[in-house]
Structure formats: structure tokens, C-alpha cells
Amino acid sequence: MTRHYFAAAFLCAFSAGAAGAGTTWEQGGSGTGTATSSATEIADGHMVMQISSSYENVEMEDAEHPMNGAAGPCFGAVEAAPAGVTGSGICAFTDSAGEKVVLHWDAEGMDGSGALTGTWTLGGGTGPWADAKGGGTFSSLTDPETGKFVNTITSSVTMP
């Protein structure tokens, strides 16, 4: 099995401002940063990976999207086995206004390029993130040579 370093750090950073109040944002974007992983080989084609990633920036299609401009760390673990890919983790982002937001992710597979795929959901935070709702999908691909990743996301985020 080809070893890929998964940047499960998926997902988003949020810039919660007045423009997002009472609005649902449904659009795509991408997060970039650096990831490291520690893989434990279980058997041929079966491994468990501990993942740590740092998002440098989340850029959404619309600059007013509440996730645009966020950054922060993500942590998790993924099991890649012949039966499939599973795993989960958590991210702690700071948006462009300085508010904190928690994001939970669940790995559900790997695509043909080796990108880790799955879903994410909001888990609370400070300010407007305390009552925000939403989530989406992700596809995170890491260059194993450099540790740089691009996480392509979809989102449906409703700010109070």
C-alpha cells in the first residue's frame, strides 16, 4: 500500500463577523497547511496513523464566508485497512475576528489520488460559534515529501 500522510486536519477556519449573522453559507473552499503523521504498520495493506496538522489558512469561495481566514491545529487517528478507511479527530481554529471554534471530523475513505475523504461538523466555540450549526465534506491530500496539504471542503454553516 502506498503510504500517504493524511492531513486530517481538515477543515476550516472561520471568520465570524456581522456579515454572517443569521445567514447560512453553502459553498466550497480549501484549507492549506502542514501535516505530520506517525504510521504503525499492522500487516501488509493495514496501518494505523496518528495525525497532527496545522492549518495556515482556509480560503472560501466567498471572502465573507464565516470560515474564511481561519487557522489552527487538528489532531486525530486513521486506520487504513483492506476493509476500508476509518478514523476521527478534532480541530481548534481561531477565526479572523479572534473567536475560537471546534470542529470534529470523521474519515470515511480514500479516493484514487490518495486523499483522505470524509465529513466534518461544528462543535461549538466562542462568540457566534457557540450557537453556530453546520458541517460538510472534505478531501485532504498531503505531499509525503514536504508535509504540505490541501484540504478541499464543502460547507453548510449557519451563524446565529
Side-chain angles (χ1 to χ4, degrees):
M1 173 177 180
T2 303
R3 289 183 190 225
H4 290 275
Y5 294 90
F6 300 115
F10 319 10
L11 313 146
C12 327
F14 312 115
S15 62
T23 302
T24 297
W25 299 86
E26 295 192 26
Q27 61 185 251
S30 64
T32 56
T34 306
T36 59
S37 68
S38 174
T40 300
E41 193 80 31
I42 304 301
D44 188 35
H46 187 185
M47 71 176 68
V48 175
M49 293 173 291
Q50 180 181 11
I51 302 165
S52 177
S53 56
S54 178
Y55 278 79
E56 295 164 4
N57 186 46
V58 172
E59 186 174 342
M60 301 304 291
E61 292 170 1
D62 182 341
E64 296 299 314
H65 191 291
M67 293 171 57
N68 197 60
C74 289
F75 308 94
V78 173
E79 179 181 17
V85 175
T86 61
S88 63
I90 193 165
C91 303
F93 288 104
T94 302
D95 73 13
S96 64
E99 299 292 347
K100 304 289 185 182
V101 60
V102 175
L103 177 127
H104 299 268
W105 58 267
D106 290 297
E108 298 171 353
M110 190 179 339
D111 71 14
S113 72
L116 185 66
T117 61
T119 59
W120 63 271
T121 57
L122 293 175
T126 62
W129 295 107
D131 296 315
K133 305 287 183 221
T137 63
F138 69 85
S139 176
S140 186
L141 183 62
T142 301
D143 180 336
E145 299 296 318
T146 65
K148 296 287 184 184
F149 68 84
V150 175
N151 186 13
T152 304
I153 64 169
T154 65
S155 72
S156 178
V157 174
T158 302
M159 301 305 288

